[in-house]
Amino acid sequence: MRILLRVKPGASRTAVGGRYDGPAGPALVVAVAARAVEGQATKAVLQAVATAFGVRPSAVTLVRGATSRDKLVEIHGDETALQSRLESLRD
């Protein structure tokens, strides 16, 4: 399952949830405490998404957006469970 993300680096705490209506469509908001330096924020985002969806970190891969606030990730797992979790996180 592929999911659009809107990243907020340098947040006071890491959190996954909320909706951002961007030009590419609705995205899930991911706030991370890590700064956008040398890929630290991207690594933190992948870990936070894995935790939020209840999958192993290796099940989350970055498809595009390594240096952008808008990222596309692919999550491997049960599609029904992932879709249900996505809907609850976007609310």
Side-chain angles (χ1 to χ4, degrees):
M1 166 180 211
R2 289 187 174 195
I3 300 173
L4 287 170
L5 303 176
R6 177 64 174 195
V7 177
K8 294 184 177 182
S12 59
R13 63 184 175 90
T14 298
V16 178
R19 180 184 173 120
Y20 173 78
D21 291 317
L28 179 64
V29 178
V30 181
V32 292
R35 294 276 179 202
V37 177
E38 297 179 6
Q40 292 175 2
T42 300
K43 290 177 188 174
V45 164
L46 296 177
Q47 180 63 46
V49 169
T51 301
F53 281 87
V55 297
R56 295 170 305 168
S58 62
V60 181
T61 56
L62 181 67
V63 176
R64 73 168 185 255
T67 60
S68 172
R69 285 184 173 219
D70 297 313
K71 300 186 184 305
L72 180 65
V73 296
E74 186 163 353
I75 304 174
H76 299 280
D78 178 28
E79 290 283 329
T80 306
L82 293 175
Q83 186 64 40
S84 173
R85 184 67 180 142
L86 175 62
E87 294 303 320
S88 67
L89 289 170
R90 277 191 183 155
D91 293 341

